[in-house]
Amino acid sequence: QVQLVESGGGLVQAGGSLRLSCAASGRTFDIYVMGWFRQAPGKEREFVTAITWDWNGGINTYYADSVRGRFTISRDNAKNTVYLQMNSLKPEDTAVYYCAAGRRSRSYKVGDAYDAWGLGTQVTVSS
């Protein structure tokens, strides 16, 4: 019902920046949360950030402690796209980044709570 496509990954030096995009299509009217997760080789998938909205148009953002102050999530309603601006990148940020969408906004930190996932985009930060 919902399709997600990530883009914007690449290779960057430590301290640099990247901007990831997640374009949503299909039945997007029942989506109330979109988030980003990442998975590095040999590690489990971890929550990065999420953005939620409600019937009144209220928007909230949430960040993992490891990225707070460096990463920013935003949403463009007209383009049905969520962005992840990543600044001051560190080698430990290297991972495949996945975009996810769901309707259970109170479970934004739990990957299993999301209903749709993109295929991922590689982010590599060199030292």
Side-chain angles (χ1 to χ4, degrees), residues 4 6 20-23 31-38 45-53 60-63 73-75 82-84 97-105 107-111 113-118:
L4 303 175
E6 305 101 329
L20 306 183
S21 298
C22 176
I31 294 176
Y32 294 99
V33 56
M34 294 188 69
W36 291 92
F37 292 75
R38 67 187 182 186
R45 180 185 61 191
E46 66 174 341
F47 166 78
V48 178
T49 181
I51 183 169
T52 65
W53 54 93
N60 291 294
T61 57
Y62 308 88
Y63 297 92
I73 188 171
S74 61
R75 176 171 178 256
V82 168
Y83 303 96
L84 178 60
Y97 283 70
Y98 298 93
C99 178
R103 54 188 176 89
R104 292 171 285 181
S105 60
S107 301
Y108 60 86
K109 289 184 177 180
V110 182
Y114 289 79
D115 302 306
W117 291 82

Side-chain angles (χ1 to χ4, degrees), residues 15-34:
S17 299
L18 283 174
R19 188 191 191 193
L20 306 183
S21 298
C22 176
S25 61
R27 294 186 178 183
T28 60
F29 54 83
D30 58 349
I31 294 176
Y32 294 99
V33 56
M34 294 188 69

